Amino acid sequence: MNAVATRFWMKVRVAPTNACWEWLAAVDQDGYGIFGLSRQRVRAHRVAYELSIGPIPEGLHIDHLCRVRHC
């Protein structure tokens, strides 16, 4: 695991049901988790997708099916 991934996953708690991955660090004004990446603030759910799946395809909308914004 690279340094960015290690730093990111240290800020995540997996729920016992594995349904949600709770973001434990900073959130933005809308309640979404934020992560510092290359001197930019990026929404944590997008980073989680890219670390777990790969690049987000053009036009794909990453959604919180559980409706918990810091998930």
Side-chain angles (χ1 to χ4, degrees):
M1 190 177 316
N2 67 38
V4 171
T6 300
R7 187 168 56 89
F8 178 85
W9 292 116
M10 287 175 46
K11 301 172 188 303
V12 176
R13 176 175 48 215
V14 177
T17 62
N18 289 332
C20 287
W21 296 352
E22 182 182 2
W23 183 248
L24 303 174
V27 295
D28 67 13
Q29 66 276 6
D30 297 320
Y32 289 95
I34 55 172
F35 181 70
L37 187 62
S38 299
R39 298 180 188 233
Q40 293 183 352
R41 290 173 35 163
V42 182
R43 287 195 164 164
H45 65 282
R46 296 180 63 83
V47 177
Y49 183 95
E50 291 194 347
L51 289 174
S52 300
I53 308 294
I56 300 171
E58 186 71 31
L60 182 65
H61 179 76
I62 305 301
D63 195 7
H64 299 263
L65 299 177
C66 64
R67 297 302 185 228
V68 176
R69 291 182 177 178
H70 65 276
C71 170

